[in-house]
Coordinates of all heavy atoms in Angstrom, one line a residue:
A384 N -8.0 -8.3 19.6 CA -7.8 -9.7 19.4 C -7.1 -10.2 18.2 O -7.4 -9.4 17.2 CB -9.2 -10.5 19.6
I385 N -6.6 -11.2 18.2 CA -5.9 -11.8 17.0 C -6.9 -12.0 15.8 O -8.1 -12.5 16.2 CB -5.1 -13.0 17.3 CG1 -4.3 -13.5 15.9 CG2 -6.0 -14.3 17.9 CD1 -3.2 -14.5 16.3
D386 N -6.7 -11.8 14.7 CA -7.5 -11.9 13.4 C -7.6 -13.5 13.1 O -6.6 -14.0 12.8 CB -7.1 -11.1 12.4 CG -7.8 -11.4 11.1 OD1 -8.9 -12.2 11.1 OD2 -7.5 -10.9 10.0
P387 N -8.8 -14.2 13.5 CA -8.7 -15.6 13.2 C -8.6 -16.0 11.6 O -8.3 -17.1 11.2 CB -10.1 -16.1 13.8 CG -11.0 -14.9 13.8 CD -10.0 -13.7 14.0
Q388 N -8.7 -14.9 10.8 CA -8.6 -15.2 9.4 C -7.2 -14.6 8.8 O -7.1 -14.3 7.7 CB -9.7 -14.3 8.6 CG -11.2 -14.7 8.9 CD -11.5 -16.1 8.9 OE1 -11.0 -16.8 7.7 NE2 -12.1 -16.6 9.8
F389 N -6.2 -14.6 9.7 CA -4.9 -13.9 9.4 C -4.4 -14.7 8.3 O -3.6 -14.0 7.6 CB -4.1 -14.1 10.7 CG -3.5 -15.4 11.0 CD1 -2.2 -15.7 10.5 CD2 -4.1 -16.2 11.9 CE1 -1.8 -17.0 10.8 CE2 -3.6 -17.4 12.3 CZ -2.5 -17.9 11.8
E390 N -4.6 -16.0 8.1 CA -3.9 -16.7 6.9 C -4.4 -16.1 5.6 O -3.7 -16.1 4.6 CB -4.1 -18.2 7.0 CG -3.2 -18.8 8.1 CD -3.6 -20.3 8.3 OE1 -3.0 -21.1 7.4 OE2 -4.5 -20.6 9.1
D391 N -5.6 -15.6 5.5 CA -6.2 -14.9 4.3 C -5.7 -13.5 4.2 O -5.6 -12.9 3.2 CB -7.8 -15.0 4.3 CG -8.2 -16.4 4.2 OD1 -7.6 -17.2 3.7 OD2 -9.2 -16.7 4.8
N392 N -5.6 -12.8 5.4 CA -5.5 -11.5 5.4 C -4.0 -10.9 5.5 O -3.8 -9.7 5.4 CB -6.3 -10.8 6.6 CG -7.8 -11.1 6.3 OD1 -8.3 -11.1 5.2 ND2 -8.4 -11.1 7.5
R393 N -3.1 -11.8 5.6 CA -1.7 -11.4 5.9 C -0.8 -12.3 4.9 O -1.2 -13.3 4.5 CB -1.3 -11.7 7.3 CG -2.0 -10.7 8.3 CD -1.4 -10.9 9.8 NE -2.1 -10.1 10.7 CZ -1.4 -9.2 11.5 NH1 -0.1 -9.4 11.5 NH2 -2.0 -8.5 12.4
E394 N 0.5 -11.9 4.8 CA 1.5 -12.5 4.0 C 2.4 -13.0 4.9 O 2.9 -12.4 5.9 CB 2.1 -11.6 3.0 CG 1.0 -10.9 2.1 CD 0.7 -11.7 0.9 OE1 1.5 -12.6 0.5 OE2 -0.6 -11.6 0.4
V395 N 3.1 -14.2 4.6 CA 4.3 -14.6 5.3 C 5.5 -13.9 4.8 O 5.6 -13.7 3.7 CB 4.6 -16.2 4.9 CG1 5.9 -16.6 5.6 CG2 3.4 -17.1 5.4
V396 N 6.3 -13.2 5.8 CA 7.2 -12.3 5.5 C 8.5 -12.9 6.1 O 9.6 -12.3 5.8 CB 7.1 -10.9 6.1 CG1 5.8 -10.3 5.4 CG2 6.8 -10.8 7.6
D397 N 8.6 -13.8 7.0 CA 9.8 -14.3 7.5 C 9.5 -15.7 8.0 O 8.4 -16.1 8.2 CB 10.2 -13.3 8.6 CG 11.7 -13.5 8.9 OD1 12.4 -14.3 8.4 OD2 12.1 -12.5 9.7
E398 N 10.7 -16.3 8.7 CA 10.6 -17.4 9.4 C 11.3 -17.3 10.7 O 12.3 -16.5 10.7 CB 11.2 -18.5 8.7 CG 10.6 -19.9 9.0 CD 10.9 -21.2 8.1 OE1 10.4 -21.2 7.0 OE2 12.0 -21.8 8.6
H399 N 11.0 -17.8 11.8 CA 11.5 -17.7 13.1 C 11.4 -19.1 14.0 O 10.3 -19.5 14.1 CB 10.9 -16.4 13.9 CG 11.6 -16.1 15.2 ND1 10.7 -16.3 16.4 CD2 12.7 -15.8 15.6 CE1 11.6 -16.0 17.4 NE2 12.8 -15.7 17.0
E400 N 12.6 -19.5 14.4 CA 12.4 -20.6 15.2 C 11.6 -21.8 14.6 O 11.0 -22.5 15.3 CB 12.0 -20.4 16.7 CG 12.8 -19.3 17.3 CD 14.2 -19.8 17.7 OE1 14.3 -21.0 18.1 OE2 15.1 -19.1 17.9
G401 N 11.7 -22.0 13.3 CA 11.0 -23.1 12.7 C 9.5 -22.8 12.4 O 8.8 -23.6 11.7
H402 N 9.0 -21.5 12.7 CA 7.7 -21.2 12.4 C 7.5 -20.0 11.5 O 8.5 -19.2 11.4 CB 6.8 -21.2 13.5 CG 7.2 -20.3 14.6 ND1 7.8 -20.6 15.8 CD2 7.4 -18.8 14.6 CE1 8.3 -19.5 16.5 NE2 7.9 -18.4 15.8
K403 N 6.4 -19.8 10.9 CA 6.3 -18.7 10.0 C 5.9 -17.3 10.8 O 5.4 -17.4 11.9 CB 5.0 -18.8 9.1 CG 5.3 -19.9 8.0 CD 4.0 -20.3 7.2 CE 4.3 -21.4 6.2 NZ 3.1 -21.8 5.5
V404 N 6.4 -16.3 10.1 CA 6.0 -15.0 10.7 C 5.1 -14.2 9.6 O 5.5 -14.1 8.5 CB 7.3 -14.0 11.0 CG1 6.8 -12.7 11.4 CG2 8.1 -14.7 11.9
W405 N 3.9 -13.8 10.1 CA 2.9 -13.2 9.2 C 2.9 -11.7 9.4 O 2.6 -11.3 10.5 CB 1.5 -13.8 9.5 CG 1.4 -15.2 9.4 CD1 1.8 -16.2 10.2 CD2 0.9 -16.0 8.2 NE1 1.5 -17.5 9.7 CE2 0.9 -17.3 8.6 CE3 0.3 -15.5 7.0 CZ2 0.4 -18.4 7.5 CZ3 -0.2 -16.5 6.1 CH2 0.0 -17.8 6.4
G406 N 3.2 -10.9 8.4 CA 3.4 -9.4 8.5 C 2.1 -8.7 8.5 O 1.0 -9.3 8.7
P407 N 2.1 -7.4 8.5 CA 3.4 -6.8 8.3 C 4.3 -6.6 9.6 O 3.8 -6.6 10.7 CB 2.9 -5.2 7.9 CG 1.4 -5.0 8.6 CD 1.0 -6.6 8.7
V408 N 5.4 -6.5 9.3 CA 6.5 -6.3 10.3 C 7.4 -5.0 10.1 O 7.8 -4.8 8.9 CB 7.6 -7.5 10.3 CG1 8.7 -7.3 11.3 CG2 6.7 -8.9 10.8
D409 N 7.5 -4.3 11.1 CA 8.4 -3.0 11.1 C 9.0 -2.9 12.4 O 8.5 -2.2 13.3 CB 7.5 -1.9 10.6 CG 8.3 -0.7 10.5 OD1 9.5 -0.6 10.4 OD2 7.6 0.4 10.6
E410 N 10.1 -3.6 12.6 CA 10.7 -3.7 13.9 C 11.2 -2.3 14.3 O 11.7 -1.5 13.6 CB 11.8 -4.6 13.8 CG 11.3 -6.1 13.6 CD 12.5 -7.2 13.6 OE1 13.7 -6.8 13.6 OE2 12.2 -8.4 13.4
P411 N 11.2 -2.1 15.6 CA 10.8 -3.0 16.7 C 9.4 -2.7 17.1 O 8.8 -3.5 17.9 CB 11.7 -2.4 17.9 CG 11.8 -1.1 17.8 CD 11.8 -0.9 16.1
E412 N 8.7 -1.7 16.4 CA 7.4 -1.5 17.0 C 6.3 -2.5 16.5 O 5.2 -2.7 17.2 CB 6.8 -0.1 16.5 CG 7.7 0.9 17.1 CD 8.9 1.3 16.2 OE1 9.0 0.7 15.2 OE2 9.7 2.2 16.5
Q413 N 6.5 -3.0 15.3 CA 5.3 -4.0 14.7 C 6.0 -5.1 14.3 O 7.0 -5.2 13.5 CB 4.8 -3.3 13.4 CG 3.5 -3.9 13.0 CD 3.0 -3.1 11.8 OE1 3.7 -2.4 11.1 NE2 1.6 -3.3 11.5
L414 N 5.5 -6.3 14.9 CA 6.2 -7.5 14.9 C 5.3 -8.7 14.2 O 5.8 -9.8 14.0 CB 6.5 -8.1 16.3 CG 7.5 -7.1 17.0 CD1 7.7 -7.5 18.4 CD2 8.8 -6.9 16.3
G415 N 4.1 -8.4 13.9 CA 3.3 -9.4 13.2 C 2.8 -10.6 14.1 O 2.9 -10.6 15.3
I416 N 2.4 -11.8 13.4 CA 2.0 -12.9 14.1 C 3.1 -14.0 13.9 O 3.5 -14.3 12.7 CB 0.6 -13.3 13.4 CG1 -0.5 -12.5 13.8 CG2 0.2 -14.7 13.9 CD1 -1.8 -12.6 13.2
H417 N 3.4 -14.8 15.0 CA 4.3 -15.8 14.9 C 3.5 -17.1 15.0 O 2.7 -17.2 16.0 CB 5.3 -15.8 16.2 CG 6.5 -14.9 15.8 ND1 7.7 -15.0 16.0 CD2 6.3 -13.6 15.3 CE1 8.4 -14.1 15.7 NE2 7.7 -13.0 15.2
G418 N 3.8 -18.1 14.2 CA 3.1 -19.4 14.1 C 1.9 -19.4 13.2 O 1.5 -18.3 12.8
T419 N 1.4 -20.6 12.9 CA 0.3 -20.8 12.2 C -0.7 -21.6 12.8 O -1.8 -21.3 13.0 CB 0.8 -21.5 10.6 OG1 1.8 -20.6 10.1 CG2 -0.4 -21.6 9.9
H420 N -0.4 -22.9 13.1 CA -1.4 -23.7 13.9 C -1.6 -23.2 15.3 O -2.7 -23.0 15.6 CB -0.9 -25.2 14.0 CG -1.8 -26.1 14.8 ND1 -3.0 -26.5 14.2 CD2 -1.8 -26.5 16.1 CE1 -3.6 -27.2 15.1 NE2 -2.9 -27.3 16.3
V421 N -0.5 -22.9 15.9 CA -0.6 -21.9 17.2 C -0.1 -20.5 16.8 O 1.2 -20.5 16.6 CB 0.2 -22.6 18.3 CG1 0.2 -21.7 19.5 CG2 -0.3 -24.0 18.5
A422 N -0.9 -19.6 16.7 CA -0.5 -18.2 16.3 C -0.6 -17.3 17.3 O -1.7 -17.2 18.1 CB -1.4 -17.8 15.1
V423 N 0.5 -16.5 17.5 CA 0.6 -15.5 18.7 C 0.8 -14.2 18.0 O 1.6 -14.0 17.3 CB 1.7 -15.8 19.7 CG1 1.6 -14.6 20.6 CG2 1.5 -17.2 20.4
D424 N -0.3 -13.2 18.2 CA -0.1 -11.9 17.7 C 0.8 -11.1 18.5 O 0.4 -10.7 19.6 CB -1.5 -11.2 17.4 CG -1.4 -9.8 16.6 OD1 -0.4 -9.2 16.7 OD2 -2.3 -9.7 16.0
F425 N 2.1 -11.0 18.1 CA 3.1 -10.4 19.0 C 2.7 -8.9 19.2 O 3.2 -8.2 20.2 CB 4.4 -10.4 18.4 CG 5.2 -11.6 18.6 CD1 4.5 -12.8 19.0 CD2 6.6 -11.6 18.4 CE1 5.4 -13.9 19.2 CE2 7.3 -12.8 18.7 CZ 6.7 -13.9 19.2
D426 N 1.9 -8.3 18.4 CA 1.6 -6.9 18.5 C 0.4 -6.6 19.6 O 0.1 -5.5 20.0 CB 1.1 -6.1 17.2 CG 2.4 -6.1 16.2 OD1 3.4 -5.7 16.8 OD2 2.3 -6.5 15.2
I427 N -0.2 -7.7 20.1 CA -1.2 -7.8 21.0 C -0.7 -8.4 22.4 O -1.0 -7.9 23.5 CB -2.5 -8.5 20.5 CG1 -3.1 -7.9 19.4 CG2 -3.4 -8.7 21.7 CD1 -4.3 -8.7 18.8
C428 N 0.2 -9.4 22.2 CA 0.6 -10.0 23.5 C 1.3 -8.9 24.4 O 2.1 -8.1 24.0 CB 1.7 -11.1 23.1 SG 2.6 -11.8 24.5
L429 N 1.0 -9.0 25.7 CA 1.7 -8.0 26.6 C 2.4 -8.8 27.7 O 2.5 -8.3 28.8 CB 0.5 -7.1 27.3 CG -0.7 -7.6 27.5 CD1 -0.7 -8.6 28.7 CD2 -1.6 -6.3 28.0
A430 N 2.8 -10.1 27.4 CA 3.6 -10.9 28.2 C 3.0 -11.3 29.6 O 3.6 -11.3 30.6 CB 5.0 -10.1 28.6
D431 N 1.6 -11.5 29.5 CA 1.0 -12.1 30.7 C 1.6 -13.3 31.2 O 1.8 -13.6 32.5 CB -0.4 -12.2 30.3 CG -1.3 -12.8 31.5 OD1 -1.8 -12.0 32.4 OD2 -1.4 -14.0 31.7
G432 N 1.9 -14.3 30.4 CA 2.6 -15.5 30.8 C 1.7 -16.7 31.1 O 2.2 -17.8 31.4
A433 N 0.4 -16.5 31.1 CA -0.5 -17.6 31.4 C -0.3 -18.7 30.5 O -0.6 -19.9 30.7 CB -2.0 -17.1 31.4
C434 N -0.2 -18.5 29.2 CA 0.0 -19.5 28.1 C 1.3 -20.4 28.4 O 1.1 -21.6 28.4 CB 0.1 -18.9 26.7 SG 1.3 -17.7 26.5
L435 N 2.2 -19.7 28.8 CA 3.5 -20.4 29.1 C 3.2 -21.4 30.3 O 3.7 -22.5 30.4 CB 4.7 -19.6 29.4 CG 5.5 -19.0 28.2 CD1 5.0 -17.9 27.7 CD2 6.9 -19.0 28.6
E436 N 2.6 -21.0 31.3 CA 2.2 -21.7 32.5 C 1.4 -22.7 32.4 O 1.5 -23.7 32.9 CB 1.8 -20.7 33.6 CG 2.8 -19.9 34.4 CD 2.1 -18.8 35.2 OE1 1.1 -19.1 35.7 OE2 2.7 -17.6 35.3
D437 N 0.4 -22.6 31.5 CA -0.8 -23.6 31.4 C -0.7 -24.6 30.3 O -1.3 -25.6 30.2 CB -2.0 -22.8 31.2 CG -2.5 -22.1 32.5 OD1 -1.7 -22.2 33.6 OD2 -3.5 -21.4 32.6
C438 N 0.2 -24.2 29.3 CA 0.2 -25.3 28.2 C 0.8 -26.5 28.7 O 1.8 -26.6 29.2 CB 1.1 -24.7 27.0 SG 1.2 -25.9 25.6
P439 N 0.1 -27.7 28.5 CA 0.5 -29.0 29.0 C 1.7 -29.5 28.3 O 2.3 -30.5 28.6 CB -0.7 -29.9 28.9 CG -1.6 -29.2 27.8 CD -1.2 -27.7 27.9
V440 N 2.0 -29.1 27.1 CA 3.1 -29.7 26.2 C 4.2 -28.6 25.9 O 5.0 -28.8 25.1 CB 2.6 -30.3 25.0 CG1 1.7 -31.6 25.3 CG2 1.7 -29.4 24.2
D441 N 4.2 -27.6 26.6 CA 5.3 -26.5 26.5 C 5.5 -26.0 25.1 O 6.7 -26.1 24.6 CB 6.6 -27.1 27.2 CG 6.4 -27.2 28.7 OD1 5.7 -26.6 29.3 OD2 7.3 -28.1 29.2
V442 N 4.4 -25.7 24.5 CA 4.5 -25.1 23.2 C 5.4 -23.8 23.3 O 6.0 -23.6 22.2 CB 3.1 -25.0 22.5 CG1 3.3 -24.0 21.3 CG2 2.6 -26.2 22.0
F443 N 5.2 -23.0 24.2 CA 5.7 -21.5 24.2 C 6.9 -21.4 24.9 O 7.3 -22.1 26.0 CB 4.7 -20.6 24.9 CG 3.3 -20.7 24.4 CD1 2.4 -21.5 24.8 CD2 2.9 -20.0 23.1 CE1 1.0 -21.6 24.4 CE2 1.7 -20.1 22.6 CZ 0.8 -20.9 23.2
E444 N 7.7 -20.5 24.4 CA 9.0 -20.0 25.1 C 9.1 -18.4 25.0 O 8.7 -18.0 23.9 CB 10.3 -20.6 24.5 CG 10.5 -22.2 24.8 CD 11.9 -22.6 24.3 OE1 12.5 -21.8 23.8 OE2 12.1 -23.9 24.3
W445 N 9.6 -17.8 26.0 CA 9.8 -16.4 25.8 C 10.8 -16.1 24.8 O 11.7 -16.8 24.6 CB 10.3 -15.8 27.2 CG 9.3 -15.7 28.3 CD1 9.4 -16.4 29.6 CD2 8.0 -15.2 28.3 NE1 8.3 -16.3 30.2 CE2 7.4 -15.4 29.6 CE3 7.2 -14.4 27.4 CZ2 6.2 -15.0 29.9 CZ3 6.0 -13.9 27.7 CH2 5.4 -14.2 29.0
T446 N 10.6 -15.0 23.9 CA 11.6 -14.5 23.0 C 11.6 -12.9 23.5 O 10.5 -12.2 23.8 CB 11.2 -14.8 21.6 OG1 12.3 -14.4 20.8 CG2 10.0 -14.0 21.2
D447 N 12.8 -12.4 23.3 CA 13.0 -11.0 23.6 C 12.6 -10.2 22.3 O 12.9 -10.4 21.3 CB 14.5 -10.7 23.8 CG 14.9 -11.3 25.2 OD1 14.1 -11.4 26.1 OD2 16.0 -11.8 25.2
T448 N 11.9 -9.1 22.7 CA 11.4 -8.1 21.8 C 11.6 -6.7 22.2 O 10.6 -5.8 22.4 CB 9.8 -8.4 21.4 OG1 9.1 -8.1 22.7 CG2 9.6 -9.7 20.8
P449 N 12.9 -6.3 22.4 CA 13.1 -4.9 23.0 C 12.6 -3.9 22.0 O 12.7 -3.9 20.8 CB 14.8 -4.9 23.0 CG 15.1 -6.0 22.1 CD 14.1 -7.0 22.1
G450 N 12.0 -2.9 22.7 CA 11.5 -1.7 22.0 C 10.1 -1.9 21.6 O 9.3 -1.0 21.0
H451 N 9.3 -3.0 21.8 CA 8.0 -3.1 21.4 C 7.1 -2.5 22.4 O 7.3 -2.6 23.6 CB 7.6 -4.7 21.2 CG 6.1 -4.7 20.6 ND1 5.0 -4.7 21.4 CD2 5.8 -4.7 19.4 CE1 3.9 -4.8 20.6 NE2 4.5 -4.8 19.3
P452 N 6.0 -1.6 22.0 CA 5.4 -0.9 23.0 C 4.6 -1.6 24.0 O 4.4 -1.1 25.0 CB 4.5 0.0 21.9 CG 4.6 -0.6 20.6 CD 5.9 -1.3 20.5
E453 N 4.1 -2.8 23.5 CA 3.2 -3.7 24.6 C 4.1 -4.4 25.6 O 3.7 -4.4 26.8 CB 2.3 -4.7 23.8 CG 1.3 -4.1 23.0 CD 0.3 -3.1 23.7 OE1 0.1 -3.5 25.1 OE2 -0.5 -2.4 23.2
S454 N 5.3 -4.9 25.1 CA 6.1 -5.7 26.2 C 7.3 -6.1 25.4 O 7.4 -6.2 24.3 CB 5.3 -7.0 26.6 OG 5.0 -7.8 25.5
E455 N 8.4 -6.3 26.2 CA 9.7 -6.4 25.7 C 10.0 -8.0 25.7 O 11.3 -8.4 25.4 CB 10.7 -5.7 26.4 CG 10.4 -4.1 26.2 CD 11.7 -3.3 26.3 OE1 12.6 -3.5 27.1 OE2 11.8 -2.3 25.6
I456 N 9.0 -8.8 26.1 CA 9.1 -10.2 25.7 C 7.9 -10.8 25.2 O 6.7 -10.1 25.6 CB 9.6 -11.1 27.0 CG1 8.6 -10.9 28.2 CG2 10.9 -10.9 27.4 CD1 8.8 -11.8 29.4
K457 N 7.8 -11.8 24.5 CA 6.6 -12.4 23.8 C 6.6 -13.9 24.0 O 7.7 -14.5 24.0 CB 6.5 -12.1 22.4 CG 6.7 -10.5 22.0 CD 5.5 -9.8 22.5 CE 5.7 -8.3 22.1 NZ 4.6 -7.5 22.6
A458 N 5.4 -14.5 24.1 CA 5.3 -15.8 24.1 C 5.4 -16.5 22.7 O 4.5 -16.2 21.9 CB 3.8 -16.3 24.7
D459 N 6.5 -17.1 22.4 CA 6.8 -17.6 20.9 C 6.4 -19.1 20.9 O 6.8 -19.9 21.6 CB 8.2 -17.5 20.7 CG 8.6 -17.3 19.3 OD1 7.7 -17.1 18.5 OD2 9.7 -17.6 19.0
P460 N 5.5 -19.4 19.9 CA 5.1 -20.8 19.8 C 6.2 -21.9 19.1 O 5.9 -22.4 18.1 CB 3.9 -20.7 18.9 CG 4.2 -19.5 18.0 CD 5.0 -18.7 18.8
V461 N 7.3 -21.9 19.9 CA 8.5 -22.6 19.2 C 8.1 -24.0 18.9 O 8.8 -24.7 18.2 CB 9.6 -22.3 20.0 CG1 10.3 -21.0 20.1 CG2 9.4 -23.0 21.6
N462 N 7.2 -24.7 19.7 CA 6.9 -26.1 19.6 C 5.5 -26.2 19.1 O 4.7 -27.2 19.6 CB 7.2 -26.8 21.0 CG 8.6 -26.6 21.4 OD1 9.5 -26.9 20.8 ND2 8.6 -26.3 22.7
E463 N 5.1 -25.4 18.2 CA 3.5 -25.5 17.7 C 3.3 -26.9 17.2 O 2.1 -27.3 17.3 CB 3.5 -24.3 16.8 CG 3.9 -24.7 15.4 CD 3.4 -23.6 14.4 OE1 2.4 -23.0 14.6 OE2 4.0 -23.5 13.2
A464 N 4.2 -27.7 16.7 CA 3.8 -29.1 16.2 C 3.4 -30.0 17.2 O 2.8 -31.0 16.9 CB 5.0 -29.5 15.4
Q465 N 3.8 -29.7 18.5 CA 3.4 -30.6 19.6 C 2.0 -30.2 20.2 O 1.5 -30.9 21.1 CB 4.5 -30.6 20.7 CG 5.7 -31.1 20.3 CD 6.9 -30.9 21.3 OE1 6.5 -30.8 22.4 NE2 8.1 -30.9 20.8
C466 N 1.4 -29.2 19.8 CA 0.1 -28.8 20.4 C -0.9 -29.9 20.3 O -1.0 -30.6 19.2 CB -0.4 -27.5 19.5 SG -2.1 -27.1 19.9
I467 N -1.8 -30.0 21.3 CA -2.7 -31.1 21.3 C -4.2 -30.4 21.4 O -5.2 -31.1 21.6 CB -2.6 -31.9 22.6 CG1 -2.6 -31.1 23.8 CG2 -1.3 -32.8 22.4 CD1 -2.6 -31.9 25.2
D468 N -4.2 -29.2 20.9 CA -5.5 -28.6 20.6 C -6.5 -28.4 21.9 O -7.6 -28.7 21.8 CB -6.3 -29.2 19.6 CG -5.5 -29.1 18.3 OD1 -4.7 -28.2 18.1 OD2 -5.7 -30.1 17.4
C469 N -5.7 -28.4 23.1 CA -6.7 -28.4 24.3 C -7.4 -27.1 24.4 O -8.2 -26.9 25.3 CB -5.8 -28.7 25.5 SG -4.6 -27.2 26.0
M470 N -6.9 -25.9 23.7 CA -7.4 -24.6 23.7 C -7.2 -23.8 25.0 O -7.7 -22.8 25.2 CB -9.0 -24.7 23.4 CG -9.1 -25.4 22.0 SD -8.2 -24.8 20.6 CE -9.1 -23.4 19.9
L471 N -6.5 -24.4 25.9 CA -6.2 -23.7 27.2 C -5.7 -22.3 27.0 O -6.0 -21.3 27.6 CB -5.3 -24.5 28.2 CG -5.9 -25.3 29.3 CD1 -4.8 -25.9 30.1 CD2 -6.8 -24.3 30.4
C472 N -4.6 -22.2 26.2 CA -3.9 -20.9 26.0 C -4.8 -19.8 25.4 O -4.8 -18.7 25.9 CB -2.6 -21.2 25.1 SG -3.1 -21.9 23.4
V473 N -5.7 -20.3 24.4 CA -6.7 -19.4 24.1 C -7.7 -18.9 25.0 O -8.0 -17.7 25.1 CB -7.4 -20.1 22.7 CG1 -8.6 -19.2 22.3 CG2 -6.6 -20.5 21.6
D474 N -7.9 -19.8 25.9 CA -9.0 -19.4 26.9 C -8.3 -18.4 28.0 O -9.0 -17.5 28.6 CB -9.5 -20.6 27.6 CG -10.4 -21.5 26.8 OD1 -10.9 -20.8 25.8 OD2 -10.6 -22.6 27.1
V475 N -7.0 -18.7 28.3 CA -6.4 -18.0 29.5 C -5.8 -16.6 29.1 O -5.6 -15.8 30.0 CB -5.3 -18.7 30.3 CG1 -6.0 -19.9 30.9 CG2 -4.2 -19.3 29.4
C476 N -5.4 -16.4 27.8 CA -4.7 -15.2 27.4 C -5.8 -14.0 27.7 O -6.9 -14.0 27.1 CB -4.4 -15.2 25.9 SG -3.6 -13.6 25.5
P477 N -5.5 -13.1 28.5 CA -6.3 -12.0 28.8 C -6.5 -11.0 27.7 O -7.4 -10.2 27.8 CB -5.7 -11.2 30.1 CG -4.0 -11.5 29.8 CD -4.1 -13.0 29.1
V478 N -5.7 -11.0 26.7 CA -5.9 -10.1 25.6 C -6.2 -10.8 24.2 O -6.1 -10.1 23.2 CB -4.7 -9.0 25.5 CG1 -4.6 -8.1 26.6 CG2 -3.3 -10.0 25.3
D479 N -6.6 -12.1 24.4 CA -7.0 -12.8 23.1 C -5.9 -12.7 22.0 O -6.2 -12.4 20.8 CB -8.3 -12.4 22.6 CG -9.4 -12.8 23.5 OD1 -9.3 -13.8 24.2 OD2 -10.5 -12.1 23.5
A480 N -4.6 -12.8 22.3 CA -3.6 -12.7 21.4 C -3.2 -14.1 20.6 O -2.5 -14.1 19.7 CB -2.2 -12.3 22.1
I481 N -3.9 -15.2 21.1 CA -3.5 -16.5 20.5 C -4.7 -17.1 19.7 O -5.9 -17.0 20.2 CB -3.2 -17.5 21.7 CG1 -1.9 -16.9 22.5 CG2 -2.8 -18.9 21.1 CD1 -1.8 -17.7 23.7
D482 N -4.4 -17.6 18.4 CA -5.4 -18.5 17.8 C -4.9 -19.8 17.6 O -3.7 -20.0 17.0 CB -5.6 -17.7 16.4 CG -6.7 -18.4 15.6 OD1 -7.9 -18.5 16.0 OD2 -6.4 -18.9 14.5
V483 N -5.6 -20.8 17.9 CA -5.3 -22.2 17.7 C -6.4 -22.8 16.7 O -7.6 -22.7 17.0 CB -5.2 -23.0 18.9 CG1 -5.0 -24.5 18.6 CG2 -4.0 -22.5 19.7
D484 N -6.0 -23.4 15.6 CA -6.9 -24.0 14.7 C -6.8 -25.5 14.8 O -5.9 -26.1 14.2 CB -6.5 -23.7 13.2 CG -7.3 -22.5 12.7 OD1 -8.4 -22.3 13.2 OD2 -6.7 -21.7 11.9
P485 N -7.8 -26.1 15.4 CA -7.8 -27.5 15.6 C -7.9 -28.2 14.2 O -8.7 -27.6 13.4 CB -9.1 -27.8 16.4 CG -9.4 -26.6 17.1 CD -8.9 -25.5 16.2
G486 N -7.1 -29.1 14.0 CA -7.2 -29.7 12.7 C -6.8 -31.2 12.8 O -7.0 -32.0 12.1
Ligands
LIG346 FE1 -0.6 -25.7 24.3 FE2 -3.1 -26.4 24.5 FE3 -2.5 -24.0 23.5 FE4 -2.0 -26.2 22.1 S1 -4.0 -25.4 22.6 S2 -0.6 -24.5 22.5 S3 -1.5 -27.6 23.8 S4 -2.3 -24.7 25.7
LIG347 FE1 1.0 -13.1 25.8 FE2 -1.3 -13.8 26.2 FE3 0.6 -15.5 26.5 S1 -0.4 -11.8 26.8 S2 2.3 -14.3 27.1 S3 0.0 -14.6 24.6 S4 -1.3 -15.3 27.8
LIG348 ZN1 8.6 -16.7 16.7

């Protein structure tokens, strides 16, 4: 599961589509965590797609991650600023790849 303390335990190494990327990153095998308020651990996501289907405000879009061992697409939190903290994505992800911090 994603580390809920990732902001303490990781460093920001990049930016992508307007959100932060928390390392370590070693492409294509290791991709880190994308987003902060809505955070997706790309190294855990296996492209189930429930988060994209269920998010009521369309926070997520697919992004291509060719060569990653778990899946070659990931749910990217491109609209994390629109999140309404319903926690549905956290509940439906089968591998607990998503962390949302209500604030
Ligand atoms: Fe979307 Fe709700 Fe997840 Fe926020 S908590 S990203 S609104 S499903
Ligand atoms: Fe990935 Fe979980 Fe969404 S596996 S596509 S973050 S439901
Ligand atoms: Zn991203």
